[in-house]
Amino acid sequence: MAEVQFWVRPEVMELGVLPILPPDKISIEMLSRLLQYSQDLGERGYPQMNYETWKHVAVKKMGLSVECSMVVFFSCLLFSKLRPGRDRELEATLAAAASQKERDEVMGGVEVWTMELIILLYLHRVTSAHPRAIARQASLQTLTTDPWPNSNISGATARKQLLEEKHAGFVREALPELLSLLAGHLQVEDTEKKKKSGDKRTPRELLGFMKSAGVLSVDVVKSLGFIIGTSLQGDKAEHDLLSVAMDTNNCYRSGYLSKKNAFQKGLFEQWLLRGLDWAPHGEWLCVRRGCRQSWPVVSLAPQTHHRFVTSPSSGHRLMYICELIDGLTAHMGDEAAPCDLKVRRCSKSNIYILQPIRNAVIHKCHDTRIVLGPVSGRIRLSECRNTVVVCAARSVVIADCRGSEGVLGGACEVMNPEDFQLLVIPFTQTPPIDGRPPLLPPGLPHEFAKSVEEAGKCVSSFRAEVRDAELSPEQRAILQKAVDAKFKAWLRDTGKQRELDQLEKLALTLKYERVAKTTAI
């Protein structure tokens, strides 16, 4: 009988939780009332909740802004495993809508699983903000009592906890409370406390409460798949948590009661915690047991200790790039399924990962440009400085990053169309499609397309002006010399000359490698 292994889904914990301070109204009692309210609404609220119902609750009851409520809703839709692909269907429908009225009608019919939404709100309540953000907006007492993340480090020589360890520790501590919340037990208990001095329960009612408090419905276990991944020992494929828990080989350990179609809370909780392990596509296994990648790399730094590693799991891969300093690398991708990407502590470098990507985390990079293929999920930038990311992505989260002026980028805004430029990727061998670079979706917003067209007209106008000036050969030579000097100064001031030097060095490296392979054959 294969052993069952569980892990905390890193993409939900790292990318699904927004780096904001939630309103005080998002409490356990509020989430418990939200569950009861959704069940009372019937089809509009449970087992799935539509967007209009959620927006009403989020804005009127919880104090969230309309924009924040929409982002939370889409986060739940993006990371849900119960109905994958709903986000892409929604985007296609919204793109086909001709007016705002049609878009509102489309959004009104979109639904997410209610318990998954409550789990996401629960994570926001205890894990949302970065410790620095909390320190700026809350007291030291609030900072030290925040349940997660905390390092739990005692002493200067204690080992620093990995992010995955913090996630697992959080789940171990919060699982009993979360299960009680999803099962609806917390509200019953709170109501009972309020009725201490008043109505008393009969012995039969008390016995019924005690029996129900120890039982989990199938919907509760099903919704836990939002944050818990499941696999069988020796099988790299990911399995559904509910199906594994109801399997005849595991039901006596998971506490599944086939006659009641429910789970015993204590047995299920113990079974889940006993099997909690490292994520097969997480950072820990990727760094320690992953496969090193021999991508072409050039670096102008005297010493570099960069690491390019992919996780050993073939089904859900993680690509890990760390500590590339003053270098350039390019990976053209392969025909495998989209993978997750983590880029950490890279500086003064240019990184090209030209393949489809599921989710991306970019952490503590500075003076670096990262060019990616299309990202189907979410990109998160945290604690970065002077970092430029070029890609087509479904969602972007920026936390605790700085502009060249040293000011925290607290809010995002759309780029000025006049500053927009098309990027030429020097590695793609695929010919342009419809006049656009490969790996990018067709079409640009009207303002940006117009800006690119105006820039092209300026170049054409200058060339026509030089052509019609009827300059002598000596005058042309003087003009050419002035243009070259100006261009070289621009390359030097913008740091583009460094990148050109790296590209030239990379071209020589690739040439020598091809010659060596030919000679060996």
Side-chain angles (χ1 to χ4, degrees):
M1 181 174 55
E3 191 70 23
V4 182
Q5 296 177 338
F6 305 105
W7 69 87
V8 183
R9 292 180 64 195
E11 61 270 22
V12 177
M13 304 298 287
E14 291 190 61
L15 298 163
V17 181
L18 302 178
I20 60 173
L21 282 173
D24 295 334
K25 292 184 179 180
I26 301 184
S27 61
I28 289 293
E29 292 75 15
M30 170 60 77
L31 296 180
S32 181
R33 287 196 291 268
L34 173 60
L35 178 60
Q36 184 63 48
Y37 175 70
S38 63
Q39 291 173 343
D40 294 341
L41 286 177
E43 294 181 355
R44 290 188 299 138
Y46 191 86
Q48 298 186 69
M49 180 181 292
N50 61 41
Y51 176 70
E52 289 300 326
T53 302
W54 158 244
K55 186 171 70 171
H56 170 75
V57 173
V59 177
K60 300 296 184 181
K61 306 297 184 182
M62 295 184 174
L64 296 176
S65 65
V66 176
E67 294 79 8
C68 185
S69 65
M70 179 176 289
V71 174
V72 171
F73 188 85
F74 271 90
S75 296
C76 186
L77 197 67
L78 183 63
F79 294 101
S80 175
K81 296 171 59 180
L82 297 180
R83 296 183 66 179
R86 286 291 309 282
D87 50 348
R88 290 186 287 273
E89 297 176 5
L90 175 60
E91 289 171 353
T93 308
L94 288 175
S99 63
Q100 184 61 40
K101 182 179 180 181
E102 293 184 12
R103 296 188 185 94
D104 293 339
E105 292 177 355
V106 172
M107 285 299 302
V110 181
E111 297 176 331
V112 296
W113 291 92
T114 305
M115 284 194 178
E116 288 189 341
L117 184 59
I118 291 176
I119 290 175
L120 188 60
L121 291 172
Y122 181 85
L123 296 179
H124 274 87
R125 188 187 74 86
V126 294
T127 70
S128 58
H130 189 279
R132 295 180 186 174
I134 297 178
R136 288 194 297 268
Q137 303 182 38
S139 65
L140 181 61
Q141 178 68 18
T142 304
L143 174 64
T144 54
T145 58
D146 193 18
W148 180 93
N150 57 26
S151 57
N152 295 327
I153 294 178
S154 59
T157 60
R159 180 179 65 85
K160 184 178 180 181
Q161 274 194 322
L162 299 175
L163 197 57
E164 288 184 69
E165 291 179 293
K166 297 177 183 179
H167 294 163
F170 161 73
V171 169
R172 292 181 187 278
E173 295 177 7
L175 186 61
E177 183 181 52
L178 182 59
L179 290 178
S180 297
L181 170 64
L182 297 177
H185 302 156
L186 289 180
Q187 184 177 9
V188 177
E189 293 170 0
D190 292 340
T191 305
E192 187 63 22
K193 289 178 181 178
K194 294 178 182 178
K195 292 184 177 180
K196 269 185 183 178
S197 58
D199 301 333
K200 297 263 181 141
R201 289 189 174 185
T202 64
R204 179 174 295 181
E205 290 175 339
L206 186 59
L207 180 61
F209 164 71
M210 293 174 64
K211 288 183 177 179
S212 63
V215 175
L216 300 175
S217 68
V218 170
D219 288 340
V220 173
V221 177
K222 184 178 181 181
S223 65
L224 278 181
F226 185 72
I227 58 172
I228 301 295
T230 309
S231 63
L232 301 178
Q233 193 173 26
D235 186 1
K236 296 181 179 179
E238 186 172 352
H239 295 263
D240 178 61
L241 173 60
L242 179 61
S243 301
V244 174
M246 295 174 64
D247 188 85
T248 55
N249 295 322
N250 301 313
C251 62
Y252 69 95
R253 292 183 295 175
S254 64
Y256 178 64
L257 307 173
S258 58
K259 293 183 178 180
K260 295 183 178 181
N261 195 26
F263 291 83
Q264 292 182 2
K265 181 176 181 291
L267 288 178
F268 177 79
E269 182 181 321
Q270 295 174 11
W271 178 63
L272 190 64
L273 293 179
R274 278 199 306 266
L276 205 59
D277 203 350
W278 298 103
H281 56 280
E283 186 176 328
W284 189 86
L285 283 179
C286 180
V287 172
R288 286 157 181 78
R289 302 181 186 176
C291 307
R292 292 188 175 272
Q293 302 299 304
S294 57
W295 298 339
V297 180
V298 295
S299 177
L300 302 180
Q303 290 184 348
T304 180
H305 303 285
H306 59 268
R307 286 183 291 178
F308 300 156
V309 188
T310 57
S311 59
S313 175
S314 58
H316 193 137
R317 291 195 308 162
L318 170 66
M319 188 181 300
Y320 184 78
I321 300 175
C322 181
E323 297 181 354
L324 179 62
I325 300 175
D326 205 358
L328 182 147
T329 186
H331 178 57
M332 300 302 297
D334 47 36
E335 298 181 357
C339 64
D340 291 336
L341 173 68
K342 287 189 177 182
V343 183
R344 296 192 187 276
R345 298 183 182 276
C346 296
S347 61
K348 299 180 181 179
S349 299
N350 291 276
I351 300 172
Y352 293 81
I353 308 296
L354 306 178
Q355 72 173 61
I357 295 171
R358 186 182 293 106
N359 300 296
V361 174
I362 301 172
H363 181 61
K364 287 190 175 180
C365 296
H366 68 86
D367 300 299
T368 295
R369 185 172 66 183
I370 302 172
V371 183
L372 306 176
V375 180
S376 61
R378 173 169 289 174
I379 294 180
R380 178 183 174 115
L381 284 84
S382 59
E383 301 182 58
C384 295
R385 186 177 75 250
N386 296 346
T387 297
V388 177
V389 180
V390 182
C391 73
R394 176 166 283 110
S395 176
V396 178
V397 172
I398 302 175
D400 207 18
C401 294
R402 301 178 179 268
S404 56
E405 295 82 8
V407 181
L408 285 173
C412 300
E413 59 183 13
V414 179
M415 175 188 286
N416 187 349
E418 296 180 357
D419 299 331
F420 179 77
Q421 296 178 346
L422 292 178
L423 175 67
V424 178
I425 300 177
F427 304 101
T428 54
Q429 300 175 357
T430 307
I433 304 172
D434 299 330
R436 62 180 174 87
L439 296 178
L440 293 180
L444 283 172
H446 175 71
E447 297 81 3
F448 294 90
K450 185 177 179 181
S451 176
V452 173
E453 183 179 353
E454 292 295 332
K457 287 181 179 179
C458 290
V459 176
S460 301
S461 176
F462 177 74
R463 289 176 177 172
E465 187 177 352
V466 173
R467 183 177 62 251
D468 298 338
E470 297 181 354
L471 300 178
S472 64
E474 292 79 9
Q475 291 174 325
R476 284 182 176 274
I478 294 175
L479 178 61
Q480 184 65 43
K481 187 175 181 180
V483 170
D484 291 344
K486 188 72 174 178
F487 180 64
K488 290 179 180 179
W490 176 82
L491 290 176
R492 183 179 60 254
D493 295 340
T494 58
K496 303 293 184 182
Q497 186 61 51
R498 176 189 297 269
E499 184 178 359
L500 289 177
D501 295 340
Q502 292 174 336
L503 286 171
E504 183 180 5
K505 188 175 180 180
L506 179 62
L508 291 175
T509 302
L510 295 176
K511 180 180 178 180
Y512 291 148
E513 288 181 356
R514 286 195 296 268
V515 171
K517 289 181 180 179
T518 304
T519 305
I521 293 175

Short mmCIF file of all heavy atoms in Angstrom, two decimals, residues 171-191:
data_model
loop_
_atom_site.label_atom_id
_atom_site.label_comp_id
_atom_site.label_asym_id
_atom_site.label_seq_id
_atom_site.Cartn_x
_atom_site.Cartn_y
_atom_site.Cartn_z
N VAL A 171 0.47 25.76 8.79
CA VAL A 171 -0.63 24.82 8.58
C VAL A 171 -0.80 23.93 9.81
O VAL A 171 -1.93 23.64 10.24
CB VAL A 171 -0.37 23.97 7.32
CG1 VAL A 171 -1.35 22.81 7.23
CG2 VAL A 171 -0.49 24.84 6.07
N ARG A 172 0.30 23.49 10.41
CA ARG A 172 0.20 22.64 11.60
C ARG A 172 -0.52 23.36 12.74
O ARG A 172 -1.31 22.76 13.48
CB ARG A 172 1.59 22.21 12.06
CG ARG A 172 2.30 21.26 11.09
CD ARG A 172 3.65 20.85 11.63
NE ARG A 172 4.40 20.08 10.65
CZ ARG A 172 4.24 18.77 10.45
NH1 ARG A 172 3.35 18.11 11.20
NH2 ARG A 172 4.95 18.14 9.54
N GLU A 173 -0.23 24.65 12.90
CA GLU A 173 -0.84 25.39 14.00
C GLU A 173 -2.28 25.80 13.69
O GLU A 173 -3.13 25.82 14.59
CB GLU A 173 0.00 26.65 14.29
CG GLU A 173 1.40 26.34 14.82
CD GLU A 173 2.21 27.61 15.03
OE1 GLU A 173 1.61 28.71 14.88
OE2 GLU A 173 3.40 27.52 15.33
N ALA A 174 -2.55 26.13 12.43
CA ALA A 174 -3.85 26.70 12.09
C ALA A 174 -4.87 25.67 11.65
O ALA A 174 -6.06 26.00 11.56
CB ALA A 174 -3.67 27.74 10.98
N LEU A 175 -4.45 24.43 11.36
CA LEU A 175 -5.38 23.45 10.80
C LEU A 175 -6.58 23.17 11.70
O LEU A 175 -7.72 23.14 11.21
CB LEU A 175 -4.63 22.15 10.49
CG LEU A 175 -5.45 21.08 9.76
CD1 LEU A 175 -5.91 21.58 8.40
CD2 LEU A 175 -4.65 19.79 9.61
N PRO A 176 -6.43 22.97 13.02
CA PRO A 176 -7.62 22.73 13.84
C PRO A 176 -8.64 23.86 13.77
O PRO A 176 -9.84 23.63 13.63
CB PRO A 176 -7.05 22.58 15.26
CG PRO A 176 -5.62 22.16 15.05
CD PRO A 176 -5.18 22.87 13.81
N GLU A 177 -8.15 25.10 13.85
CA GLU A 177 -9.06 26.24 13.78
C GLU A 177 -9.70 26.35 12.41
O GLU A 177 -10.90 26.64 12.29
CB GLU A 177 -8.30 27.52 14.12
CG GLU A 177 -9.19 28.76 14.14
CD GLU A 177 -8.40 30.01 14.46
OE1 GLU A 177 -7.37 30.26 13.78
OE2 GLU A 177 -8.80 30.75 15.38
N LEU A 178 -8.91 26.12 11.35
CA LEU A 178 -9.44 26.23 10.00
C LEU A 178 -10.51 25.17 9.74
O LEU A 178 -11.55 25.45 9.13
CB LEU A 178 -8.31 26.10 8.99
CG LEU A 178 -8.68 26.23 7.50
CD1 LEU A 178 -9.32 27.57 7.23
CD2 LEU A 178 -7.46 26.03 6.63
N LEU A 179 -10.27 23.95 10.20
CA LEU A 179 -11.26 22.89 10.02
C LEU A 179 -12.56 23.21 10.78
O LEU A 179 -13.66 22.99 10.25
CB LEU A 179 -10.69 21.55 10.50
CG LEU A 179 -9.58 20.94 9.64
CD1 LEU A 179 -9.08 19.65 10.27
CD2 LEU A 179 -10.05 20.68 8.22
N SER A 180 -12.43 23.73 11.98
CA SER A 180 -13.62 24.10 12.74
C SER A 180 -14.38 25.23 12.06
O SER A 180 -15.62 25.25 12.05
CB SER A 180 -13.23 24.52 14.17
OG SER A 180 -12.64 23.45 14.87
N LEU A 181 -13.62 26.17 11.47
CA LEU A 181 -14.26 27.27 10.76
C LEU A 181 -15.05 26.77 9.56
O LEU A 181 -16.22 27.12 9.37
CB LEU A 181 -13.19 28.27 10.31
CG LEU A 181 -13.65 29.37 9.34
CD1 LEU A 181 -14.67 30.28 10.01
CD2 LEU A 181 -12.45 30.17 8.84
N LEU A 182 -14.43 25.92 8.74
CA LEU A 182 -15.09 25.42 7.53
C LEU A 182 -16.25 24.49 7.86
O LEU A 182 -17.23 24.42 7.09
CB LEU A 182 -14.07 24.69 6.64
CG LEU A 182 -12.92 25.54 6.10
CD1 LEU A 182 -11.95 24.68 5.31
CD2 LEU A 182 -13.45 26.67 5.23
N ALA A 183 -16.15 23.78 8.98
CA ALA A 183 -17.22 22.87 9.36
C ALA A 183 -18.39 23.59 10.00
O ALA A 183 -19.44 22.97 10.25
CB ALA A 183 -16.68 21.80 10.30
N GLY A 184 -18.25 24.89 10.29
CA GLY A 184 -19.34 25.64 10.90
C GLY A 184 -19.44 25.49 12.38
O GLY A 184 -20.45 25.88 12.98
N HIS A 185 -18.39 24.96 13.04
CA HIS A 185 -18.47 24.73 14.48
C HIS A 185 -18.20 26.00 15.29
O HIS A 185 -18.71 26.14 16.39
CB HIS A 185 -17.46 23.65 14.91
CG HIS A 185 -17.68 22.35 14.20
ND1 HIS A 185 -16.67 21.41 14.03
CD2 HIS A 185 -18.77 21.83 13.59
CE1 HIS A 185 -17.15 20.37 13.36
NE2 HIS A 185 -18.42 20.60 13.09
N LEU A 186 -17.39 26.89 14.73
CA LEU A 186 -17.01 28.08 15.50
C LEU A 186 -18.21 28.97 15.78
O LEU A 186 -18.37 29.50 16.86
CB LEU A 186 -15.94 28.88 14.73
CG LEU A 186 -14.56 28.23 14.67
CD1 LEU A 186 -13.61 29.11 13.88
CD2 LEU A 186 -14.01 28.01 16.06
N GLN A 187 -19.07 29.12 14.79
CA GLN A 187 -20.23 29.97 15.01
C GLN A 187 -21.16 29.39 16.07
O GLN A 187 -21.71 30.10 16.89
CB GLN A 187 -21.00 30.15 13.70
CG GLN A 187 -22.16 31.12 13.86
CD GLN A 187 -22.89 31.36 12.55
OE1 GLN A 187 -22.62 30.68 11.56
NE2 GLN A 187 -23.79 32.31 12.54
N VAL A 188 -21.31 28.06 16.05
CA VAL A 188 -22.14 27.41 17.07
C VAL A 188 -21.58 27.66 18.45
O VAL A 188 -22.30 27.99 19.39
CB VAL A 188 -22.25 25.90 16.78
CG1 VAL A 188 -23.05 25.21 17.87
CG2 VAL A 188 -22.90 25.67 15.43
N GLU A 189 -20.25 27.56 18.58
CA GLU A 189 -19.63 27.77 19.88
C GLU A 189 -19.78 29.21 20.35
O GLU A 189 -20.08 29.49 21.50
CB GLU A 189 -18.15 27.39 19.80
CG GLU A 189 -17.94 25.90 19.58
CD GLU A 189 -16.49 25.58 19.26
OE1 GLU A 189 -15.69 26.53 19.21
OE2 GLU A 189 -16.17 24.40 19.08
N ASP A 190 -19.58 30.19 19.42
CA ASP A 190 -19.71 31.59 19.79
C ASP A 190 -21.14 31.91 20.19
O ASP A 190 -21.39 32.65 21.14
CB ASP A 190 -19.28 32.48 18.62
CG ASP A 190 -17.79 32.36 18.36
OD1 ASP A 190 -17.07 31.92 19.26
OD2 ASP A 190 -17.37 32.71 17.26
N THR A 191 -22.08 31.37 19.46
CA THR A 191 -23.48 31.60 19.79
C THR A 191 -23.82 31.03 21.16
O THR A 191 -24.56 31.60 21.94
CB THR A 191 -24.39 30.97 18.72
OG1 THR A 191 -24.01 31.48 17.44
CG2 THR A 191 -25.84 31.30 18.97
#
